[in-house]
Amino acid sequence: MSKPVQPTESSQLKSCCAALYQSDFVRFLLGDSFHPGGTRLTERLGVLLHLGPLSRVLDVASGKGESAIFLARRFGCKVVGIDFGVENVSEATRRAAAAGVADVTSFRQGDAEQIDCPDNSFDVVICECAFCTFPDKSKAAAEFERVLKPFGRVGLSDLTRSGPLPKELEGLLAWVACIADARPSDEYVDYLKAAGFKVLEIEAHDEGLAEMVRNIQGKLLSAELMLNLKKLDLPGVDLGQAKVLARSAAAAVRAGLLGYSLIIGCRA
Ligand SMILES: C[S@@+](CC[C@H](N)C(=O)[O-])C[C@H]1O[C@@H](n2cnc3c(N)ncnc32)[C@H](O)[C@@H]1O
């Protein structure tokens, strides 16, 4: 496990990540679900975690609330979502009300490395496509353990990498795009074990990542076309850089360097 990054750098990374995932450009590229496999893999996570009407779930880095809303409807569970981005939290709250699940979901601003919830307060913690972006992964894993009840379960779904990546996948944009600090699934397992979890299951879903990268490449092409036809304005967006990142990510997925996994653990 590598050394955590410094505090100032750390809060900049979190803010930068939250800002990216609150932007219209990311919504254009990804829709409302910001992880490979969308709600299909969220459902799989829910099944592996044995969610049901009695489950009290914490969704760490809940984005626009898509997964929390889906889980509440599909499994009848109660879900609290926390996200670093204030606008994400407001939007998730609005979307949950529109979806008719405001009584069983709630969202608030928070930091995965310092979760503002009492000890032993949840049956399940999920964290989709975000653990890889946390500057201090040990602290986040320890927080998951602290807020879970004894024998509570954690479900991580995250990007995995199996070797060194090309230079263009190592920068800030790649970090907040979940790539630069992605780890081999064994390392995620080590973080969970060090925090006191027993790891029960690991499932590879690399095809979900391949599909997501293909969709992003298609969207970037249509954005370029619309820009050329002057039918779209993308202030502050470096489309060229985004295309380089997507092309390089697609090659890394094809080469088996980047993948996507679900990891289930149980608080010992
Ligand atoms: C790739 S998105 C995933 C969002 C959501 N889990 C989903 O799958 O749709 C990453 C999310 O992590 C959030 N985030 C980044 N750092 C965070 C932190 N330290 N604590 C809580 N949320 C964080 C961002 O605001 C963003 O919404």
Side-chain angles (χ1 to χ4, degrees), residues 10 13-22 30 32-36 42 59-67 82-86 88 109-114 126-135 140 157 176-178 212 260:
S10 153
L13 276 171
K14 291 173 197 170
S15 304
C16 187
C17 183
L20 179 77
Y21 289 99
Q22 288 175 160
L30 301 179
D32 291 320
S33 183
F34 297 159
H35 61 267
T42 301
D59 181 2
V60 177
S62 46
K64 299 208 183 290
E66 182 79 357
S67 295
I82 62 162
D83 196 276
F84 205 74
V86 180
N88 272 343
Q109 200 275 338
D111 185 345
E113 295 171 10
Q114 221 171 342
I126 67 161
C127 185
E128 297 176 294
C129 207
F131 191 75
C132 60
T133 71
F134 300 154
S157 86
V176 295
C178 303
M212 182 189 228
Y260 200 75

Side-chain angles (χ1 to χ4, degrees), residues 38-222:
T39 49
R40 179 175 54 79
L41 278 193
T42 301
E43 179 171 34
R44 180 67 191 148
L45 200 60
V47 169
L48 291 171
L49 290 163
H50 307 306
L51 293 188
L54 297 180
S55 313
R56 196 171 140 72
V57 181
L58 177 68
D59 181 2
V60 177
S62 46
K64 299 208 183 290
E66 182 79 357
S67 295
I69 294 166
F70 173 81
L71 292 173
R73 282 174 146 174
R74 165 69 178 80
F75 296 98
C77 51
K78 288 197 167 62
V79 190
V80 174
I82 62 162
D83 196 276
F84 205 74
V86 180
E87 287 167 36
N88 272 343
V89 170
S90 317
E91 189 161 351
T93 307
R94 266 198 311 276
R95 296 184 71 235
V101 290
D103 53 334
V104 285
T105 57
S106 66
F107 299 91
R108 55 179 183 260
Q109 200 275 338
D111 185 345
E113 295 171 10
Q114 221 171 342
I115 299 175
D116 183 18
C117 295
D119 299 359
N120 307 324
S121 47
F122 293 94
D123 303 296
V124 168
V125 168
I126 67 161
C127 185
E128 297 176 294
C129 207
F131 191 75
C132 60
T133 71
F134 300 154
D136 191 338
K137 295 173 177 43
S138 301
K139 215 165 160 189
E143 282 293 85
F144 297 173
E145 198 268 348
R146 181 185 66 76
V147 299
L148 275 173
K149 296 176 189 169
F151 306 107
R153 289 181 167 221
V154 63
L156 278 192
S157 86
D158 227 318
L159 249 79
T160 57
R161 71 189 268 181
S162 58
L165 294 172
K167 190 168 62 44
E168 61 276 15
L169 294 183
E170 297 282 7
L172 175 64
L173 182 59
W175 185 307
V176 295
C178 303
I179 295 171
D181 206 37
R183 307 294 175 88
S185 52
D186 287 354
E187 273 194 42
Y188 294 129
V189 166
D190 289 344
Y191 280 112
L192 292 181
K193 283 187 178 164
F197 289 101
K198 183 175 169 201
V199 171
L200 305 174
E201 269 166 290
I202 306 175
E203 275 190 5
H205 288 274
D206 300 352
E207 77 295 339
L209 180 62
E211 185 189 1
M212 182 189 228
V213 175
R214 267 197 310 276
N215 288 342
I216 290 176
Q217 286 188 296
K219 292 266 176 79
L220 288 173
L221 275 182
S222 56

